[in-house]
């Protein structure tokens, strides 16, 4: 999974994503009402759409992502908005070299792109090192229900005029995993459309398994909730949220 061609149309296709809901969740979970000067690391920042919202709110933000193309767009956005945000091309499984942060976020199911148990455990261990004592780690993942019932066997498509996509999802190699086959058609200056193909893989685990790994990494799990609320997950919840602190 590279996200390189996906970066070209990512913001168009994610226009309806509720970035403000992630911000509201962060503020409610941490008590960071008002403008906060706390240092925040946004892991899997993509094109920086949510990252810049955090900066505008008042956080001192650093963003990391694997995709150089995504980060190029994020830097351009920050410059145009006059915001000082540092972006780095890094893997969440081995990110290092930073002073500890007050807040770490891994939003928009970025953690689901880790395919093995070891990668998730290593990421949690890294986040524990990067987080100050008393700080918060917040992240969300796709639920098992969403992975197996709302993704697998489904096909999605959209046409914005300048770009179109076909998104087919299939059962993945591992239990509770999915493979997304994406084809993008992007209009060029000539009026013709160029096709790009990518394969994205995602995997999820039970909330109990995530909690065990978090506690083994030294975190205290403050809450496990669903779908941008503080309510406990139900059988058909789609997005599971974790709020963790480092003692």
């Amino acid at each position: 999974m590279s996200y390189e061609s996906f970066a070209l149309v990512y913001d168009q296709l994610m226009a309806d994503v509720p970035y403000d809901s992630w911000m509201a969740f962060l503020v409610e979970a941490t008590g960071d009402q008002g403008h906060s000067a706390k240092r925040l690391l946004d892991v899997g920042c993509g094109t920086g759409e949510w990252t810049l919202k955090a900066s505008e709110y008042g956080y001192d933000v650093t963003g990391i992502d694997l995709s150089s193309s995504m980060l190029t767009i994020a830097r351009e956005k920050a410059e145009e908005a006059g915001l000082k945000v540092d972006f780095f091309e890094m893997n969440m499984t081995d990110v290092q070299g930073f002073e500890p942060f007050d807040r770490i976020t891994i939003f928009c199911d970025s953690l689901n792109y880790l395919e093995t148990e070891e990668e998730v455990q290593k990421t949690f261990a890294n986040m524990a090192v990067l987080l100050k004592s008393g700080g918060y780690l917040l992240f969300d993942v796709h639920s098992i229900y969403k992975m197996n019932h709302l993704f697998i066997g489904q096909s999605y498509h959209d046409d914005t005029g300048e770009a179109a996509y076909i998104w087919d999802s299939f059962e993945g190699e591992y239990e509770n995993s999915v493979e997304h086959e994406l084809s993008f058609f992007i209009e060029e200056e000539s009026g013709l459309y160029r096709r790009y193909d990518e394969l994205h893989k995602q995997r999820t685990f039970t909330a109990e398994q995530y909690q065990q790994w978090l506690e083994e990494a030294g975190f205290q799990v403050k809450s496990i909730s669903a779908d941008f609320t503080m309510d406990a997950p139900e059988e058909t919840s789609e997005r599971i949220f974790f709020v963790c602190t480092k003692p």
Side-chain angles (χ1 to χ4, degrees):
M1 187 276 295
S2 67
Y3 263 124
E4 296 311 303
S5 60
F6 196 29
L8 299 174
V9 294
Y10 183 83
D11 287 334
Q12 293 182 51
L13 302 179
M14 303 293 278
D16 294 331
V17 170
Y19 292 112
D20 289 337
S21 296
W22 273 290
M23 176 59 68
F25 184 85
L26 168 64
V27 171
E28 181 178 359
T30 60
D32 289 343
Q33 283 83 8
H35 293 284
S36 175
K38 293 180 173 64
R39 298 186 68 243
L40 184 149
L41 175 66
D42 185 25
V43 178
C45 64
T47 61
E49 194 70 17
W50 185 85
T51 320
L52 299 186
K53 286 183 179 294
S55 178
E56 290 170 346
Y57 190 82
Y59 289 101
D60 178 8
V61 186
T62 298
I64 66 168
D65 200 274
L66 269 179
S67 169
S68 59
S69 295
M70 290 279 200
L71 292 172
T72 296
I73 295 171
R75 292 186 183 104
E76 291 173 352
K77 286 183 182 179
E79 184 176 355
E80 291 174 2
L83 296 172
K84 186 183 182 304
V85 180
D86 292 321
F87 292 101
F88 298 92
E89 185 177 345
M90 290 185 174
N91 191 322
M92 70 176 77
T93 62
D94 55 18
V95 56
Q96 55 186 314
F98 296 111
E99 292 296 319
F101 293 87
D102 302 290
R103 307 283 184 260
I104 297 177
T105 57
I106 315 176
F107 284 153
C108 202
D109 51 82
S110 294
L111 196 74
N112 287 131
Y113 281 95
L114 303 179
E115 290 191 71
T116 69
E117 294 93 335
E118 292 75 18
E119 287 177 315
V120 178
Q121 290 173 286
K122 190 173 182 182
T123 295
F124 287 160
N126 286 338
M127 297 305 115
V129 173
L130 290 168
L131 190 65
K132 291 180 181 179
S133 179
Y136 281 83
L137 166 68
L138 301 95
F139 67 92
D140 63 82
V141 292
H142 290 314
S143 68
I144 288 176
Y145 170 80
K146 184 175 185 179
M147 199 71 79
N148 292 320
H149 296 281
L150 301 184
F151 277 145
I152 293 175
Q154 300 300 312
S155 181
Y156 309 89
H157 57 85
D158 194 15
D159 185 348
T160 66
E162 295 180 354
Y165 75 86
I166 301 172
W167 184 320
D168 295 315
S169 299
F170 303 93
E171 185 175 0
E173 176 183 356
Y174 303 101
E175 183 180 13
N176 302 318
S177 70
V178 64
E179 296 186 1
H180 304 289
E181 294 183 359
L182 293 86
S183 295
F184 299 95
F185 304 86
I186 301 175
E187 187 178 14
E188 299 186 324
E189 291 184 3
S190 64
L192 299 176
Y193 286 77
R194 181 179 296 276
R195 174 173 174 165
Y196 300 86
D197 295 299
E198 290 193 2
L199 175 65
H200 293 195
K201 298 181 180 181
Q202 289 189 307
R203 185 183 185 185
T204 201
F205 300 91
T206 65
E208 292 78 14
Q209 183 63 83
Y210 282 118
Q211 181 169 359
Q212 177 185 331
W213 289 334
L214 286 161
E215 291 173 347
E216 289 173 353
F219 289 104
Q220 179 181 358
V221 179
K222 302 290 288 185
S223 69
I224 301 175
S225 60
D227 300 330
F228 297 101
T229 73
M230 292 299 176
D231 298 332
E234 299 179 352
E235 184 178 349
T236 57
S237 297
E238 298 183 20
R239 191 178 292 275
I240 311 302
F241 284 77
F242 291 78
V243 177
C244 316
T245 58
K246 178 180 175 181

